Every structure is written in C-alpha cells, then in structure tokens.
Amino acid sequence: MARINSNYRKLAAGYLFPEIARRTETYVQEHPKTKIRKLGIGNTTEPLTATVLEGLHRGVDKLATRETYSGYGDEQGDSRLREKLAEYYKRRNVQLDPKEFFISDGAKPDSGNIQSIFSLDNVVAVQDPAYPVYVDSNVISGRTGEHEPEQGRYKGLLYMPCNEENGFIPSPPREKADIIYLCSPNNPTGAVATHAQLKSFVDYARQQKAVIIYDASYSEYIEDDALPKTIYEVEGAEECAIEINSLSKFAGFTGVRLGWSVVPSALTVEDSRPDELRSMWNRRQSTFFNGASNIVQEGALSVFTEQGLKESSELVEYYMENARIIRRGMQSLGLTAFGGDNAPYIWLKAPNNLSSWEFFDKLLQETGVIGTPGVGFGPGGEGYFRLSAFGHREDIEAAVTTITDNLTL
Ligand SMILES: *Cc1c(COP(=O)(O)O)cnc(C)c1O
C-alpha cells in the first residue's frame, strides 16, 4: 500500500494568490466598467535584448548540423558559462572556481532543492516576511511541525522578524539555527543587507557551523555600489554560504529559465568532509536534473558579454525607473514607502493601522489597483503591502495616477 508524503498536508493552503483572484473577480462583477490595474506581480514584462536573442538563435542554429550539434552537456553546466560567471564575480573582487558553479533552470528550483543535502533535524531560520519557497520546501521535507493558523507560523521554524525598527534586515537569531535563508535585495520588502549586516550572519554561521542559503536573485538591482552584490564579498563567506542567483530578474529570463548556485569547496558544516557539500550538490543535480537547455545556456553566454551586460542593465534601469515612479507617487499621498531604491519592490505601510487585507480591499474599491498583501509572505508582513515595479511604463504610470487621484486617506 502506497502512502502519501503527509507533510504536504501541513502546508498552509496556497491562500494568497487565489484569494487575490477571488476578491478581484467579485470586484469586476460589481464594477464592470472600472479598469483593473495590476501592481502586484513579480514577473518581468519587457522583451529580451538584441544580444540575448542573438545568443538564443545561435543556440538553435548549432543544433542544426552534425558538426555543432550537442546532446547532454557538462553535468554542472556549460564550462564556458561557468568560466564567465567566475569572471563576473571577479568584478566584485570575489575569487571563485568555475567548478564551484552549478547551472540550473532557475533560482526557485535551486532554493527549493538545496535543503535536500542537509539533515532533517537541522533547525531552519527564515526572514519574516519571506519568499514562500524557503518555508514550503522545508515543510514538505519534514523539517517543521504543524502550521498554527492563529500565529500564521509553522512549529519548529525560527522566524527572524523584519520590521521598521531593523530596516527589514534581521540580526542573527539568538537561538541556535543550522540553516539560515537570507534574500537580499529582498522580496517582498525591497530591503538590502549592508556589508556589516551580512558579516554578522557570516560570523554567526562560522561560529555555529551553520549554513547560509543566500538568494541574490535581485543583486543587479542594487544601485548603491557600497552595498554587497554577493555574500562572498564578506570574508569567510565561502566557508559557510551557498549563493543562488538567476537571469530571471537580471535579463528577463523568467520564462526562458536559467539560474545557478555556488557551492564553494571551502564550505563546511558540523559533520562534513572538505569539499563534500559541493560533491553532494553535484550528485543531487546529476541524479534529479539533466542540465539547463543548451539553447538557453547559449543565450546566457550572450548576457555575459560587454554588450549583453550593458543591455541587461538598461532593462534593470527601466524597472527601477518604474520603482521610482511608484515610490514618488505613494509618498506624494503621504504614505510611508520602503524599498524601491535598490530593489524592484515597494513595501508600503498600510495607512491608519489597516491590516494588509483591509488595505487591499480599500485600494481595490477606491482605485481598481491590485497589489499584494504583505501578510501573504508571513505574519511579519501584516500591516504592509507589496507593490511591484515589473510592468510596462504606461501601465505603471496609469496605476500610480489612479491611486494618487482616487485613494482617500
Ligand atoms: C523571482 C525570484 C526568484 C527567481 O526564480 P527563478 O526560478 O530564477 O525564476 C528567486 N528568488 C526570489 C526571492 C524571487 O523573487
């Protein structure tokens, strides 16, 4: 008799996005003439750049002749791409070996899968609020207890509160944590950890023999050059941190799919042998995954050319101008807005002590604009609201104008 993995039953119902859809649908039925405008989605909208398209076409064409055809590629990903990545990190004075890079189909799969190389009795710490994958992947694997609806928390998970007082970047936990997830620039709060803040986590992890899973998916949105773009800018991080990144937000690869993880040879935890974690991740990936598409890797190679990087940063700049437009608009209304300066998310404080969902309803009723209730990312997001800078400029401008013209405070 087969039995299910009953950890799936612990998952708090995928409540956020279906509930947004339900409330939007009700509103549309009651107000068929009002235009719905979305500022809620973390998905790219602008076309791929010319250089990336050339790379993708080259990848396709290579498959057309016997001489250039390729089947399964290098296990860890195209070695040319891993060399390019190592070179790219050198720009930040970070020395990594191409063999420490693992090419994948994205940062979401890697951030969900990485926990599988660690023991089930590790204590997991997450930022609160957080990108849901870190929590859900550990629930499914059995590293948590039941979900407690009153607190909106899972038993056995350590929540590191992110709030106005700490600028939405927590301090290392006082309790003992073994696996710590950090995301900077942060989705949903838009906060970015400073070098000193990352150092405090690296110090903690080295002392405790803990591991940091560092999601740097928005690193290219950092405009302030003093802020770290990779955790390996902090000395000693290669001993305690795995970094995950992707081209999704950097180069519009959300639908194309390409990411990478860095598992340094120097990484060690309590019971690991030298270089063991890197070979375990290699084993995990070569068992469950057969590599990113060769066409897509060819496109990724084009991102890491001078012209490709220039075009990608223009793409990022486009979304960051959207972020400034949103932030300025919200502030002109007297709302308190965080983020949006080194990240494509604006983290709005709901006015008049409204809850996240109360503000969602108010914004929808008064303006027809949809955002994302902060509480959907964890109990620490209650009273906040996420606005996303991904969208066509004209849609962003129209949504902001609708809000500034119609929202009553
Ligand atoms: C968008 C996003 C990702 C990207 O995932 P991909 O699988 O590479 O598209 C990863 N982490 C966070 C926090 C994100 O917001």
Side-chain angles (χ1 to χ4, degrees):
M1 273 192 291
R3 288 180 305 280
I4 61 164
N5 173 357
S6 56
N7 290 320
Y8 277 82
R9 288 191 178 144
K10 291 182 193 161
L11 290 170
Y15 169 76
L16 180 63
F17 290 100
E19 182 61 17
I20 291 174
R22 194 187 66 77
R23 293 189 192 206
T24 306
E25 186 49 40
T26 309
Y27 177 83
V28 168
Q29 275 166 9
E30 290 165 3
H31 307 81
K33 291 207 188 89
T34 310
K35 177 142 177 59
I36 294 291
R37 300 185 188 278
K38 291 182 178 163
L39 283 181
I41 302 172
N43 198 357
T44 51
T45 55
E46 301 310 301
L48 294 174
T49 69
T51 302
V52 168
L53 286 169
E54 252 174 57
L56 291 170
H57 286 297
R58 188 174 64 237
V60 172
D61 289 341
K62 277 188 163 183
L63 297 175
T65 73
R66 279 184 146 180
E67 289 69 35
T68 52
Y69 173 85
S70 61
Y72 295 127
D74 293 350
E75 253 175 19
Q76 288 186 223
D78 190 323
S79 56
R80 294 170 303 157
L81 182 55
R82 288 185 286 117
E83 275 156 28
K84 281 272 185 209
L85 282 165
E87 267 170 47
Y88 193 64
Y89 278 71
K90 263 188 206 130
R91 295 173 178 224
R92 304 294 296 184
N93 282 322
V94 168
Q95 303 289 331
L96 289 164
D97 193 285
K99 75 170 199 284
E100 297 173 307
F101 288 85
F102 294 82
I103 310 298
S104 73
D105 57 348
K108 183 178 189 170
D110 283 4
S111 56
N113 293 329
I114 195 73
Q115 46 74 30
S116 76
I117 64 172
F118 297 102
S119 166
L120 288 182
D121 58 13
N122 283 304
V123 175
V124 173
V126 292
Q127 286 169 282
D128 178 24
Y131 183 59
V133 178
Y134 319 139
V135 173
D136 290 358
S137 59
N138 280 289
V139 172
I140 289 170
S141 311
R143 276 188 203 85
T144 73
E146 296 293 327
H147 187 254
E148 298 184 301
E150 323 78 60
Q151 287 96 17
R153 292 176 167 212
Y154 288 94
K155 271 191 206 153
L157 205 59
L158 270 179
Y159 290 81
M160 302 183 288
C162 300
N163 48 42
E164 221 174 313
E165 292 71 55
N166 60 23
F168 303 98
I169 299 292
S171 302
R174 252 174 261 133
E175 305 87 339
K176 186 175 156 16
D178 305 307
I179 303 174
I180 301 169
Y181 288 83
L182 290 177
C183 176
S184 173
N186 192 267
N187 176 9
T189 69
V192 187
T194 62
H195 191 279
Q197 286 169 325
L198 284 190
K199 186 177 183 305
S200 70
F201 276 95
V202 167
D203 290 345
Y204 174 95
R206 289 171 83 189
Q207 203 206 335
Q208 302 274 343
K209 282 281 167 201
V211 64
I212 298 167
I213 312 293
Y214 191 72
D215 185 341
S217 292
Y218 297 96
S219 58
E220 293 303 325
Y221 286 76
I222 293 177
E223 298 191 325
D224 178 352
D225 209 46
L227 293 167
K229 283 193 167 176
T230 152
I231 195 169
Y232 303 117
E233 288 179 44
V234 176
E235 207 191 318
E238 68 284 355
E239 293 172 20
C240 63
I242 291 172
E243 182 162 300
I244 295 170
N245 205 331
S246 91
L247 293 182
S248 284
K249 312 304 168 26
F250 177 21
F253 273 48
T254 40
V256 181
R257 311 304 305 146
L258 189 115
W260 65 89
S261 287
V262 182
V263 186
S265 293
L267 179 72
T268 50
V269 292
E270 191 186 340
D271 54 353
S272 66
R273 293 189 291 270
D275 208 28
E276 189 174 12
L277 286 157
R278 194 188 64 84
S279 38
M280 282 171 72
W281 182 242
N282 190 31
R283 185 62 191 260
R284 192 273 163 207
Q285 290 298 75
S286 49
T287 302
F288 290 94
F289 178 63
N290 237 343
S293 149
N294 43 14
I295 300 168
V296 170
Q297 292 192 82
E298 206 63 44
L301 272 168
S302 290
V303 173
F304 293 99
T305 59
E306 274 319 305
Q307 183 60 21
L309 288 170
K310 185 172 161 282
E311 290 169 2
S312 281
S313 55
E314 285 161 8
L315 200 56
V316 166
E317 181 45 42
Y318 179 90
Y319 294 125
M320 287 306 288
E321 178 60 20
N322 287 351
R324 280 187 283 276
I325 290 167
I326 297 169
R327 206 167 111 135
R328 245 185 271 128
M330 299 309 110
Q331 287 173 338
S332 77
L333 272 175
L335 290 167
T336 308
F338 302 95
D341 40 11
N342 292 288
Y345 296 111
I346 286 87
W347 191 238
L348 209 59
K349 188 170 180 170
N352 309 321
N353 289 316
L354 293 179
S355 72
S356 295
W357 280 109
E358 283 168 346
F359 185 68
F360 175 92
D361 288 334
K362 179 179 167 67
L363 189 67
L364 180 58
Q365 293 299 328
E366 295 183 359
T367 74
V369 175
I370 313 281
T372 312
V375 72
F377 300 95
E382 181 58 287
Y384 288 90
F385 202 71
R386 191 191 76 173
L387 298 177
S388 161
F390 293 113
H392 301 314
R393 177 69 43 80
E394 61 276 21
D395 296 339
I396 299 281
E397 279 170 342
V400 170
T401 306
T402 311
I403 296 174
T404 50
D405 287 352
N406 297 296
L407 187 69
T408 61
L409 293 171

